[in-house]
Structure formats: C-alpha cells, structure tokens
C-alpha cells in the first residue's frame, strides 16, 4: 500500500495555520493539475496574500525583523559574505 501522507511545516504563527493549510492545498492542486500542463494563471494568489499578511503579523508579534528577512541575497555579492 502506498503511503500518500505528506509532511508539511507548521506556519510561524498558530493563528496562520489554517490559512497555510488552505493555501498549500490550493497551490499543490494548481501546480499538479494546471501549472505542469502549461497553465500559468495562479488562482491561489489571493489566498497567498492573506496568508502572507498573517505571517507578517505573527513575525512582528514575535519581534522578528521582517525587513532583514526580505533582503535579496542570493545572486548578489552579499551571498558569500558572513553575516554582519
């Protein structure tokens, strides 16, 4: 019997967990059924935006610096530099 259970990470905020679950389900279905067949319109974007705002709020409540997390490093001169 094939095990179809997929392990997923929890959201950073408990209050965001249900949104994450709904977004993951939407994205996985879209990716498998549409994207891989050439359809690029992502119907999950509105749900992702709501989830993203929930995560940002949870990060602020945990006093984590959101700006530091959004800095683009990959592919730049900073990629191989030690953290300051």
């Amino acid at each position: 019997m094939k095990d179809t259970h997929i392990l997923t990470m929890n959201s950073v905020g408990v209050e965001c967990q249900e949104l994450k679950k709904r977004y993951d389900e939407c994205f996985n279905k879209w990716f498998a059924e549409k994207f891989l067949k050439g359809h690029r319109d992502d119907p999950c974007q509105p749900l992702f935006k709501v989830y993203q705002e929930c995560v940002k709020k949870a990060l602020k409540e945990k006093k984590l610096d959101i700006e530091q997390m959004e800095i683009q490093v990959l592919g730049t001169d900073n990629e191989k530099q030690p953290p300051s």
Side-chain angles (χ1 to χ4, degrees):
M1 179 179 272
K2 184 178 175 183
D3 183 10
T4 58
H5 182 74
I6 298 173
L7 296 176
T8 60
M9 288 179 37
N10 287 333
S11 182
V12 68
V14 175
E15 63 278 8
C16 304
Q17 191 59 36
E18 185 59 32
L19 284 169
K20 180 184 185 311
K21 180 182 173 198
R22 288 178 34 217
Y23 172 71
D24 285 349
E25 289 171 354
C26 181
F27 177 85
N28 289 333
K29 181 177 173 147
W30 167 76
F31 187 81
E33 296 177 8
K34 302 290 184 178
F35 181 81
L36 293 177
K37 295 176 181 170
H39 303 283
R40 302 293 187 245
D41 293 334
D42 181 359
C44 306
Q45 272 304 310
L47 185 54
F48 175 74
K49 295 287 185 193
V50 173
Y51 171 61
Q52 184 179 47
E53 288 305 313
C54 185
V55 167
K56 286 180 179 181
K57 182 179 176 193
L59 291 172
K60 282 182 185 178
E61 289 172 358
K62 294 177 187 288
K63 299 192 182 350
L64 297 171
D65 188 358
I66 295 171
E67 283 86 32
Q68 285 294 314
M69 292 179 212
E70 292 180 338
I71 293 175
Q72 296 296 318
V73 175
L74 295 178
T76 70
D77 291 338
N78 293 328
E79 182 175 3
K80 296 181 181 168
Q81 300 295 318
S84 53

